[in-house]
Amino acid sequence: TGDAQNNYQFSYQTGKLTIGKRDDLAITTFADNSKEYDGTAITLSAAETNELGGETSVMYSVKGKDSWTYNINDISAKNVSDSVTVEVKATNPNYSNTATAEAKLTIRAREITVKADDLSVVYDGTEKTVNTSKITSENKLIGAETTYSVTFTNNTRTNEGTQTVNISNAIVTGDAQNNYQFSYQTGKLT
């Protein structure tokens, strides 16, 4: 400073500014999602990380496949058979590690209760058969899967008396069989 500037000859050496990479990148939120089958698809919510300053790249894949996407909505489940485990990986040029996590995307079978109908008649010498049933649960079949069939056993009688009518093996029309879990209630033939 001042008038003495010309009395000095300066030389310069460079300095170095080093910012080291962090090694604690982590997935802080990546949660499972599940629901009972209702004919509509679900996805997972995007993963969140503990990154500082941005620049994190987050990718998703179905576990066991080597196909990655940046868009979590590219992976969805509509049917029970679509249920998967989803992997997420996060990288950031300011971190030395890759953060990973997994979450499950699950469609549960819709629970349906089917009951054999009751039939009560007066003896007339002819064989009587119970061959109808109804869904008694609050849950019903979805959309195009509106019809089903069941197997009846012990469902015919001619003489006076009472017997229990059994049903089993419900089959849904179409290809949605695995989206349903059936339970059965007996009927009565009198």
Side-chain angles (χ1 to χ4, degrees), residues 2 16 18 22 39 53-54 58 103 113 115 123 128 133 145 161 174 177:
K16 189 182 284 188
T18 303
R22 295 180 63 102
V58 179
T113 303
K115 181 188 181 312
Y123 173 76
K128 304 300 180 205
S133 63
E145 301 116 26
Q177 184 71 34

Side-chain angles (χ1 to χ4, degrees), residues 123-128 157-159:
Y123 173 76
D124 67 3
T126 62
E127 184 177 84
K128 304 300 180 205
R157 182 176 197 86
T158 302
N159 296 323

Side-chain angles (χ1 to χ4, degrees), residues 86-106:
V86 178
E87 298 175 309
V88 60
K89 66 179 177 181
T91 58
N92 185 308
N94 295 309
Y95 290 79
S96 61
N97 68 308
T98 297
T100 61
E102 293 181 354
K104 294 185 184 319
L105 185 58
T106 307

Side-chain angles (χ1 to χ4, degrees), residues 115-179:
K115 181 188 181 312
D117 287 337
D118 296 328
L119 177 62
S120 180
V121 295
V122 174
Y123 173 76
D124 67 3
T126 62
E127 184 177 84
K128 304 300 180 205
T129 301
V130 174
N131 58 8
T132 58
S133 63
K134 62 181 160 285
I135 294 175
T136 58
S137 57
E138 186 175 314
N139 283 343
K140 305 299 180 201
L141 299 175
I142 301 293
E145 301 116 26
T146 55
T147 61
Y148 68 96
S149 62
V150 293
T151 301
F152 289 87
T153 55
N154 200 37
N155 64 323
T156 59
R157 182 176 197 86
T158 302
N159 296 323
E160 183 278 332
T162 300
Q163 69 189 51
T164 300
V165 177
N166 298 305
I167 57 172
S168 60
N169 301 324
I171 297 174
V172 176
T173 56
D175 60 357
Q177 184 71 34
N178 292 333
N179 290 328

Side-chain angles (χ1 to χ4, degrees), residues 30-34 42-45 84-86 102-106:
F30 192 53
D32 296 345
N33 190 10
S34 69
I42 60 171
T43 61
L44 295 173
S45 295
V84 293
T85 298
V86 178
E102 293 181 354
K104 294 185 184 319
L105 185 58
T106 307

Side-chain angles (χ1 to χ4, degrees), residues 21 23 35 38 47 49 68 87 99 110 127-128 169 181:
K21 290 186 175 193
D23 64 358
K35 72 171 184 173
D38 68 1
T49 69
W68 294 86
E87 298 175 309
R110 188 175 184 85
E127 184 177 84
K128 304 300 180 205
N169 301 324
Q181 176 67 47

